[in-house]
Amino acid sequence: MKHLNNTNIFTTIAAVGFFAASLTVNAGTLKVVVDGYDSTEGSTLLNIFSSQATYEANQAAASGMASSSEGRATITLNGLPDGLYAIKLFHDENGNEKLDTNMLGIPKEQYGFSNNGGHFGPASFSDAKFEIKGDTQIGITLR
């Protein structure tokens, strides 16, 4: 049986570490600053999507929540790989975890999209998409 000396052990550990590091995906922190609140009741619920298909199917890659203070809320998501994303969010004033609408389907609670897209209805993925590359910060204004 062959014994490893300290140099061989160090070389083996370094090689394994280098290989493992080369397999990791760059991931960063996304900070979303939300402005334009009409009230301070409830929380803001955020979903982030990593493709047009998941955006349309409402299958979030990650979610976040925050309360507003002085007309602003900050939601932080960690560990998101670099890439293109889109955000849908709304201010859940009554805490029922859904966007309330009237009989015509018009939202009764404030909502928003990344890139402040969707001026005439919900934003498409291409209108709302933005790039995460490392640590990123974006702003969204509620309507």
Side-chain angles (χ1 to χ4, degrees):
M1 178 175 191
K2 182 178 177 182
H3 293 282
L4 293 175
N5 62 31
N6 287 343
T7 303
N8 288 341
I9 291 172
F10 176 76
T11 303
T12 302
I13 291 171
V16 169
F18 177 77
F19 179 73
S22 68
L23 295 177
T24 60
V25 175
N26 289 336
T29 298
L30 173 66
K31 185 183 287 189
V32 181
V33 179
V34 185
D35 288 301
Y37 288 88
D38 290 340
S39 85
T40 58
E41 300 296 317
S43 299
T44 301
L45 305 178
L46 175 149
N47 286 324
I48 187 166
F49 304 90
S50 60
S51 70
Q52 182 171 338
T54 60
Y55 186 83
E56 291 172 358
N58 212 30
Q59 298 171 332
S63 299
M65 180 174 79
S67 297
S68 67
S69 174
E70 298 179 18
R72 173 174 277 185
T74 301
I75 302 169
T76 303
L77 301 173
N78 296 306
L80 293 170
D82 290 353
L84 292 177
Y85 292 87
I87 290 175
K88 299 177 186 179
L89 59 77
F90 71 97
H91 181 203
D92 185 21
E93 288 186 69
N94 61 7
N96 67 354
E97 298 184 4
K98 67 177 192 167
L99 177 64
D100 295 321
T101 59
N102 66 19
M103 293 176 60
L104 299 173
I106 298 170
K108 294 168 37 177
E109 295 175 305
Q110 291 181 283
Y111 62 93
F113 302 93
S114 44
N115 286 334
N116 291 313
H119 295 290
F120 301 105
S124 66
F125 180 82
S126 69
D127 286 343
K129 71 181 175 184
F130 67 99
E131 184 176 13
I132 293 177
K133 192 167 186 173
D135 293 341
T136 305
Q137 180 173 322
I138 66 166
I140 297 176
T141 303
L142 292 171
R143 17 186 124 154

